[in-house]
Amino acid sequence: CCPGRRPACLSTGWRPDGSHGPCYCDQACARTLDCCHDYAEACPVIPCVVSEWSVWSGCAEPCKTTYRVRRRHIIQEPRNGGEECPPLEERAGCVEYWTQQGTECKQSLIPALITTGGFGKARKKRSAADGNERAGYCVEFQLVAITPGCLQSQHSYTHWMQYLREGHTVCVECQHPALDSRSLHCYGDGSGSKKNQLLHWQAVGNPHCKGTWKRIRQLDTCSCPSVHSFLFI
């Protein structure tokens, strides 16, 4: 059996039409009708057959923006010009926020949960400050990417999301009780991140509103306009 058109792939014997003489065993004989009588049984086109995908692996490295992998294997190799095998490995983006020992990764990797700064006064009234808690702080970010979902919600409590714009600088305040008593930081504030590292955030109240930003600096107090001032949750 020969792939393609191979005149040298020749024999002498019976053809499917009952005649006797030169017959061919290349793939072109099916069009020219001069195949040997057993061509269909001896030289069938067999495509590649692969298994189902395996389950996704864990992230290649914890505490890093990296990738996960899934694989499949070849069950039947292609023969006689059959369809070639598809890719046997796929990769997808992946982040794990816990080490293999079960400890939490650095703050820079944890997505920030934010809400409008308008809740700040109510939050301060509710907190039972005893004078020993660390004062809050503010972090400035430059918005890099925003999902369309930020503009699609019609609920009154999500109207603040319409002021999120790519390229704008926003202020996010870290107040008690969001301020973690052990790390003395708010989750997702980007502390420990590298310069120009893309960090993730998500708006509370609308799971379809999220995006990325870059940390600019940390300040004692926020100086952004109220529409661009938010809170860590």
Side-chain angles (χ1 to χ4, degrees):
C1 303
C2 304
R5 187 177 182 89
R6 303 255 187 106
C9 200
L10 173 69
S11 182
T12 300
W14 295 100
R15 298 175 181 173
D17 61 3
S19 62
H20 188 276
C23 58
Y24 295 87
C25 299
D26 62 342
Q27 288 176 314
C29 75
R31 297 192 306 272
T32 55
L33 303 179
D34 53 6
C35 294
C36 297
H37 74 282
D38 60 349
Y39 177 83
E41 293 77 29
C43 304
V45 174
I46 299 176
C48 177
V49 179
V50 295
S51 67
E52 296 294 324
W53 287 110
S54 68
V55 297
W56 285 103
S57 70
C59 293
E61 294 182 60
C63 301
K64 263 181 143 177
T65 302
T66 176
Y67 62 88
R68 55 184 178 161
V69 180
R70 66 176 183 173
R71 296 183 174 91
R72 55 189 174 185
H73 61 272
I74 296 174
I75 297 174
Q76 170 67 61
E77 293 279 0
R79 290 171 50 195
N80 304 324
E83 185 178 348
E84 293 298 315
C85 293
L88 301 178
E89 180 179 293
E90 277 189 350
R91 296 187 179 190
C94 183
V95 178
E96 283 183 0
Y97 304 118
W98 299 86
T99 66
Q100 294 175 347
Q101 292 73 36
T103 57
E104 199 168 44
C105 299
K106 291 181 180 179
Q107 294 280 348
S108 61
L109 281 179
I110 301 172
L113 295 176
I114 62 170
T115 188
T116 173
F119 291 136
K121 293 179 181 179
R123 173 190 269 181
K124 288 175 181 175
K125 287 178 182 177
R126 289 196 306 268
S127 353
D130 58 8
N132 295 323
E133 293 161 352
R134 176 189 163 178
Y137 60 92
C138 181
V139 184
E140 285 186 359
F141 295 95
Q142 182 185 27
L143 288 166
V144 176
I146 300 168
T147 58
C150 296
L151 298 176
Q152 292 173 355
S153 180
Q154 302 300 318
H155 298 293
S156 58
Y157 58 83
T158 63
H159 284 172
W160 62 272
M161 299 175 193
Q162 65 185 303
Y163 297 107
L164 295 165
R165 290 287 186 275
E166 292 178 3
H168 283 192
T169 297
V170 297
C171 295
V172 188
E173 191 170 356
C174 178
Q175 303 174 347
H176 180 81
L179 182 65
D180 183 70
S181 59
R182 293 166 299 174
S183 67
L184 300 180
H185 284 278
C186 282
Y187 287 103
D189 72 349
S191 59
S193 63
K194 299 176 183 177
K195 186 177 181 181
N196 290 327
Q197 181 179 345
L198 284 180
L199 307 170
H200 295 268
W201 58 268
Q202 180 172 322
V204 173
N206 180 1
H208 302 293
C209 181
K210 51 191 171 182
T212 56
W213 56 21
K214 294 178 182 178
R215 180 182 169 113
I216 300 173
R217 58 179 175 167
Q218 181 173 317
L219 303 167
D220 290 334
T221 58
C222 293
S223 58
C224 290
S226 60
V227 292
H228 294 153
S229 293
F230 308 102
L231 294 176
F232 287 110
I233 296 297

